[in-house]
Amino acid sequence: MIAPELANTPEAQLATAFCTTYYQAFARNRLELAPFYMPDAVMTFEGQLFKGQESIVQKLSSLTFQQVEHAVSCLDFQRTSNGLMIFAIGQLKTDADQVHSFSQCFHIVENNGAYFLSNDIFRLVLHHN
């Protein structure tokens, strides 16, 4: 999941903890995601742009599935000037649907010792003939 030489770094611990906590909240109740996002956060979801915490949570809450499971298979990350860029690749399963691959990029920034989402990009990895 994480390159062995990076696995014990503070960045790896932060990226892993953030993704685990985020995806658990996503599965439990998407309204719980509001505190993850900064008030002026930006999210691109399947090519659609959403600006602001309220707009983002409204979009995520409007998704029609009831159950979701994320399984992250690869996690890459890089320090930025004010936080951490995280790139997650994995599979997700919703309700009785088939499993789909996904990729998601988070930019989390530090504010008073805590980290919040500034940017979020999500895509299903669908292959069309």
Side-chain angles (χ1 to χ4, degrees):
M1 184 157 114
I2 294 176
E5 64 273 12
L6 300 174
N8 293 320
T9 63
E11 292 84 359
Q13 293 171 3
L14 176 58
T16 301
F18 177 83
C19 287
T20 299
T21 305
Y22 180 89
Y23 291 131
Q24 286 174 347
F26 195 103
R28 193 173 43 248
N29 179 352
R30 292 185 292 277
L31 292 174
E32 291 181 22
L33 295 173
F36 284 81
Y37 290 91
M38 298 180 70
D40 60 348
V42 178
M43 177 183 76
T44 303
F45 186 90
E46 290 292 313
Q48 291 182 289
L49 184 65
F50 299 89
K51 294 182 179 181
Q53 180 187 61
E54 186 177 324
S55 176
I56 292 168
V57 173
Q58 183 178 19
K59 170 59 182 175
L60 297 175
S61 297
S62 74
L63 299 172
T64 59
F65 51 81
Q66 299 303 307
Q67 296 180 332
V68 61
E69 294 178 45
H70 292 84
V72 176
S73 57
C74 183
L75 198 59
D76 294 313
F77 48 86
Q78 295 179 354
R79 268 274 169 215
T80 65
S81 61
N82 60 344
L84 193 68
M85 183 73 64
I86 304 168
F87 183 59
I89 298 173
Q91 294 186 319
L92 63 85
K93 176 150 180 40
T94 58
D95 297 333
D97 294 341
Q98 66 182 6
V99 173
H100 292 286
S101 295
F102 77 94
S103 62
Q104 190 160 16
C105 184
F106 300 111
H107 182 218
I108 58 174
V109 296
E110 188 173 6
N111 186 358
N112 293 326
Y115 285 87
F116 300 92
L117 271 164
S118 173
N119 303 83
D120 180 358
I121 302 170
F122 175 88
R123 278 280 183 182
L124 287 174
V125 180
L126 302 175
H127 301 280
H128 301 285
N129 292 332

